[in-house]
């Protein structure tokens, strides 16, 4: 019932599969769809979390029995790099999945986005300092680049941050809801 009123729907935390010459490849992705579920754009995470989304030196570490550090027998693959997404009715956006917001090089590119969208699963942090630090880093990036940041999390701090680092709207830790 909600979809007919929405022009674009962005879904986070979507594992994406791709069939290529080397077989099946998995990505940690964000997919933008319209109201008919047609995929308009996707972004594959570039900075994967070592030992979480992939096991570095998997061939070597499995010999010594360390394959259990990363979940599953298959690693996520690295995306092709920073990408500006253009969606109907929205200014150009640079999507940053989870901790990609920590890396200024993910934002600095030849083309400047109008805003940053940081989508994150902060549940693994628990209710300790991690979600607060992650949120403050997003504020730093807004100021550093002079670009507004929209941050959406499942359990952490979601907010709209101005290019000056001011919080326009916010949902606190563990709060369900939406921000306009």
């Amino acid at each position: 019932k909600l979809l007919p009123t929405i022009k674009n729907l962005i879904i986070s935390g979507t594992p994406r599969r791709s069939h290529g010459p080397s077989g099946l490849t998995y990505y940690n992705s964000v997919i933008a769809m319209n109201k008919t579920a047609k995929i308009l754009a996707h972004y594959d995470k570039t900075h994967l979390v070592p030992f979480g989304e992939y096991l570095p030196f998997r061939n070597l570490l499995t010999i010594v029995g360390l394959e259990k550090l990363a979940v599953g027998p298959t690693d996520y693959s690295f995306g092709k790099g920073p990408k500006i997404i253009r969606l109907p009715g929205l200014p150009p956006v640079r999507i940053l999945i989870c901790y990609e917001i920590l890396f200024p090089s993910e934002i600095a590119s030849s083309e400047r986005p109008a805003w940053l969208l940081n989508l994150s699963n902060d549940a693994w942090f628990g209710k300790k300092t991690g979600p607060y630090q992650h949120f403050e880093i997003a504020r730093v990036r807004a100021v550093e680049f002079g670009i507004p940041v929209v941050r959406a999390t499942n359990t952490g701090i979601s907010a709209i941050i101005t290019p000056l680092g001011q919080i326009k709207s916010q949902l606190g830790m563990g709060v369900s809801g939406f921000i306009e």
Side-chain angles (χ1 to χ4, degrees):
K1 191 166 181 160
L2 181 64
L3 283 178
T5 64
I6 297 175
K7 290 182 183 175
N8 299 298
L9 176 65
I10 298 175
I11 299 174
S12 176
T14 304
R16 190 178 74 79
R17 297 182 306 185
S18 176
H19 298 277
S22 58
L24 198 55
T25 307
Y26 295 91
Y27 297 94
N28 184 351
S29 302
V30 171
I31 297 172
M33 298 184 296
N34 67 11
K35 64 184 177 184
T36 64
K38 176 184 176 197
I39 295 175
L40 302 174
H42 76 273
Y43 166 70
D44 299 323
K45 187 174 180 182
T46 301
H47 261 99
L48 299 176
V49 179
F51 304 103
E53 293 172 310
Y54 77 102
L55 182 62
F57 311 108
R58 179 175 282 280
N59 292 340
L60 177 64
L61 291 177
T62 53
I63 293 170
V64 294
L66 293 179
E67 70 275 359
K68 295 298 179 191
L69 292 174
V71 178
T74 304
D75 295 327
Y76 280 108
S77 295
F78 293 87
K80 291 186 169 95
K83 177 177 175 180
I84 304 293
I85 303 289
R86 287 176 171 63
L87 297 169
L90 293 174
V93 60
R94 170 67 175 100
I95 296 173
L96 300 154
I97 299 174
C98 194
Y99 95 139
E100 286 184 319
I101 194 85
L102 275 65
F103 302 97
S105 61
E106 287 294 322
I107 302 162
S109 65
S110 59
E111 185 179 4
R112 182 177 168 86
W115 61 296
L116 303 173
L117 176 59
N118 178 217
L119 303 167
S120 184
N121 173 358
D122 282 355
W124 70 275
F125 280 128
K127 294 183 179 180
K128 302 199 178 337
T129 59
Y132 298 99
Q133 291 172 339
H134 205 189
F135 172 70
E136 291 302 328
I137 289 169
R139 287 182 70 192
V140 166
R141 292 295 167 258
V143 173
E144 179 180 21
F145 287 94
I147 298 174
V149 174
V150 174
R151 186 160 195 278
T153 68
N154 58 344
T155 60
I157 303 164
S158 297
I160 299 172
I161 306 166
T162 72
L164 298 175
Q166 299 163 324
I167 301 165
K168 290 290 278 185
S169 216
Q170 178 179 343
L171 292 174
M173 286 279 296
V175 176
S176 296
F178 66 93
I179 299 172
E180 277 191 63

